[in-house]
Amino acid sequence: MERIEVPDKGFTLKEIREITEREQAGDSKIRERVEMILAAVRQDGDRAVRNFTICFDGVDVPEFRITEEEIEAAVEAVGPEFMEILAEAHSNIRTYHERQIEGSWFKEVRDGVHLGTRFTPIRRVGVYVPGGTAAYPSTVLMDTVPAQVAGVPSIAVFTPPGRDGGVSPYILAAAYVAGVKELYKVGGAQSIAAAAFGTESIEPVFKIVGPGNAYVAMAKRLVFGVVGIDMIAGPSEVGVLADDSADPAWIAADMLAQAEHDVRAAAFLATPSENIARFVESEISRQLQDLGRCEIAEAALRDYGKIFITKSKEQAVEIMNLIAPEHLEILFDRPETYVSQILNAGAIFVGPYTPEPIGDYFAGPNHTLPTMGTAAFSSPLGVYDFMKRSSLLQYDRTAFTAVAAKVERFAAVEGLQAHGLAVRRRLDE
C-alpha cells in the first residue's frame, strides 16, 4: 500500500483524482468487441446469443428461460437454513425501500392553474446478476426488491450459466424468495443486447440495472438511449476514517473485504494517527496469509490501496469527500457526530459494529452503489430508479388569458412563430 502524507493545505480535487485514478486499460478493445456483440444480437437474435454463450461461457444452452422445476430444485438444494436467511434479508431490504415511495400530486397553485407530478413505474426492467465463477444472491434481492416496491409489473433476471449449463442454486433461491419467475441463463454483453433489443425468445425491457464485468459495463454504456440504465459501475472500493480509538485488525479486515473483489478494487484509509497507519499495514500483511483470494487482494492493495496521513480528523473527512467512495466507514471516536460532515459517499457505515458486509447482505439499504468518485453526483439504486415522473399542467380559460401575451412574447424572442400562433388562435376565439 502507498502511504501519503497530506500537506497542510490538503489536496485539490484534481490532485485526489490523479492519486486515486485506476487504469482503464483495454477500453478501446473492449468497446470494439462489445459493439460487435450488440450488432450481432440485434440482427440474429437467439442464434447470436447462443453462439456467444458457447464462445464465452463454454456451454450450449438449448433453452435460455429457467424453468420452475429448476427453481424448485434450487430451493431444495440450498436448504431451509439459508432460505430463512434469504427471507429475513428480503424483509429488511423491502422494509427499507418502502420508505422511498413518492406520491403523485396535483393541486391549484394559482387561481385557475393546476400543476403537479405523476409518478408511474417503468413497465418492464432487466436485472443483471453476475455469475459463472461466483454467485451473488444478494444482488438478486437488492436489484429486484426496489423494482417490486416501485410497482414494476415485469422483471426479467439475466445471469450467466456455468460450464454445466446450470445456474447457481443460491441465485435461483433468492429469485424464489423475491417472487421473480422470469430468469434467463444468459450473461455477458450478449445478455445486455438481448434485454435491450429483444430476441425471438426474450422480450426487450425499458431499463437495465445491475453490476457486471467490464464487458457488461461497456454494453450498458452503449445501449443507453435505447434503454435506461442505473449506472456504469466500476470496481468496488471502500474508504475508512479512523483515529486511535479504532481497532487496526478490524480496519485491515474491512479493507481486505473490498480488495478481494477484484484486482482493480480500491481501499483508502484516512487517519491523523501514525500508529493506526503502521498497525493497519502490519495487520493487512498478516491477514493476507489466511485469505483464500489473497493474490487478488494483494494486487488490489498494492496498486490501489492508499493510506492518507492527515493533520486532523477534519482533513481526513475532506479527503474522503474528495474521493467520494462507494462505501465509507467512520471509525472515529463518537462516529455519529461526523455523519453530517460526509458530503460524498455511496453508503456510510457508522461505528465499529457496522462493517461494510452488513450492508452488502442484510441491513436493508441497497448495495448497488456509485463507484469511481461518482458518489459525488449520483446515488444508490432505489425505488426512484424504477419510477418515472410526468409533469401535470392545467390552465382554465381565465388563467390562460392572463398570461397568453407573455407567452407570445417569449415565442417571438425565440423566433418560434408557430408557438405564438398556438396561443394567439385561442385568444382570437
Side-chain angles (χ1 to χ4, degrees):
M1 293 184 68
E2 182 181 5
R3 189 189 290 207
I4 301 169
E5 294 278 347
V6 181
D8 291 343
K9 65 178 180 59
F11 288 122
T12 65
L13 176 58
K14 183 175 185 295
E15 289 169 333
I16 281 292
R17 284 177 174 171
E18 290 171 351
I19 290 169
T20 60
E21 183 180 17
R22 281 177 270 181
E23 292 182 13
Q24 302 291 328
D27 265 8
S28 60
K29 290 184 178 179
I30 290 173
R31 183 186 183 105
E32 186 177 321
R33 292 187 72 183
V34 170
E35 285 176 339
M36 177 271 293
I37 293 168
L38 296 180
V41 172
R42 191 167 198 172
Q43 178 175 320
D44 296 329
D46 283 347
R47 184 164 66 89
V49 172
R50 181 164 290 107
N51 289 339
F52 288 128
T53 302
I54 293 171
C55 177
F56 299 133
D57 298 306
V59 62
D60 185 2
V61 179
E63 294 293 331
F64 301 134
R65 181 78 178 257
I66 294 171
T67 66
E68 289 189 22
E69 289 76 19
E70 289 175 285
I71 296 174
E72 290 170 2
V75 170
E76 188 72 23
V78 304
E81 181 185 1
F82 191 69
M83 290 301 295
E84 288 180 12
I85 293 171
L86 283 173
E88 188 173 349
H90 176 268
S91 176
N92 293 343
I93 295 164
R94 187 173 186 91
T95 298
Y96 178 84
H97 285 85
E98 283 174 344
R99 298 181 69 88
Q100 296 179 342
I101 296 172
E102 298 181 85
S104 300
W105 61 275
F106 187 57
K107 64 181 182 180
E108 189 171 28
V109 296
R110 298 182 294 278
D111 287 347
V113 178
H114 287 76
L115 302 177
T117 300
R118 182 167 182 246
F119 291 90
T120 52
I122 296 172
R123 291 177 61 188
R124 179 168 165 79
V125 301
V127 173
Y128 187 84
V129 179
T133 60
Y136 297 98
S138 57
T139 298
V140 177
L141 299 181
M142 291 290 184
D143 288 17
T144 62
V145 169
Q148 292 169 327
V149 171
V152 175
S154 178
I155 301 170
V157 171
F158 298 82
T159 191
R163 292 283 177 175
D164 62 354
V167 168
S168 164
Y170 295 101
I171 288 176
L172 299 186
Y176 176 86
V177 168
V180 176
K181 296 182 178 180
E182 186 181 351
L183 297 97
Y184 297 95
K185 300 175 187 176
V186 183
Q190 63 269 25
S191 73
I192 303 302
F197 306 131
T199 71
E200 297 90 335
S201 63
I202 300 172
E203 286 294 316
V205 303
F206 293 105
K207 187 168 187 175
I208 301 170
V209 305
N213 63 18
Y215 290 89
V216 170
M218 180 62 74
K220 287 172 66 179
R221 185 190 298 272
L222 293 176
V223 300
F224 176 66
V226 176
V227 295
I229 61 172
D230 52 347
M231 62 186 78
I232 305 294
S236 192
E237 66 210 16
V238 66
V240 181
L241 292 167
D243 58 17
D244 283 315
S245 69
D247 187 324
W250 294 11
I251 298 171
D254 293 354
M255 295 175 78
L256 287 168
Q258 288 308 300
E260 73 172 349
H261 271 295
D262 190 287
V263 293
R264 292 181 60 235
F268 311 111
L269 169 63
T271 179
S273 170
E274 286 274 2
N275 285 336
I276 284 292
R278 185 171 66 256
F279 290 145
V280 167
E281 287 177 312
S282 176
E283 275 294 325
I284 285 175
S285 296
R286 185 182 68 80
Q287 292 181 33
L288 266 171
Q289 309 308 313
D290 301 322
L291 206 61
R293 295 167 67 91
C294 63
E295 291 183 2
I296 293 173
E298 187 174 26
L301 293 179
R302 180 191 65 233
D303 295 336
Y304 305 114
K306 312 289 182 186
I307 297 179
F308 295 91
I309 310 298
T310 64
K311 307 302 181 187
S312 65
K313 293 181 183 179
E314 289 69 28
Q315 190 182 59
V317 168
E318 180 55 22
I319 290 292
M320 288 301 171
N321 279 331
L322 292 174
I323 293 173
E326 177 187 15
H327 311 93
L328 177 62
E329 296 186 359
I330 306 177
L331 301 181
F332 286 156
D333 182 41
R334 299 176 62 231
E336 62 281 352
T337 63
Y338 292 88
V339 170
S340 63
Q341 297 179 36
I342 306 302
L343 306 179
N344 299 322
I348 304 168
F349 300 79
V350 185
Y353 295 100
T354 321
E356 185 274 335
I358 290 285
D360 266 354
Y361 302 122
F362 210 72
N366 211 284
H367 79 190
T368 301
L369 302 166
T371 63
M372 307 282 283
T374 60
F377 56 80
S378 54
S379 308
L381 189 73
V383 171
Y384 31 76
D385 288 293
F386 297 98
M387 302 192 78
K388 53 192 178 61
R389 298 178 297 276
S390 298
S391 301
L392 293 172
L393 307 85
Q394 183 181 26
Y395 275 61
D396 66 15
R397 184 187 184 98
T398 301
F400 165 77
T401 303
V403 301
K406 298 172 186 177
V407 175
E408 278 191 286
R409 177 63 175 148
F410 250 117
V413 167
E414 295 191 353
L416 297 174
Q417 182 184 18
H419 281 60
L421 288 173
V423 173
R424 173 51 51 189
R425 291 187 189 283
R426 288 168 170 75
L427 280 178
D428 290 345
E429 294 179 7

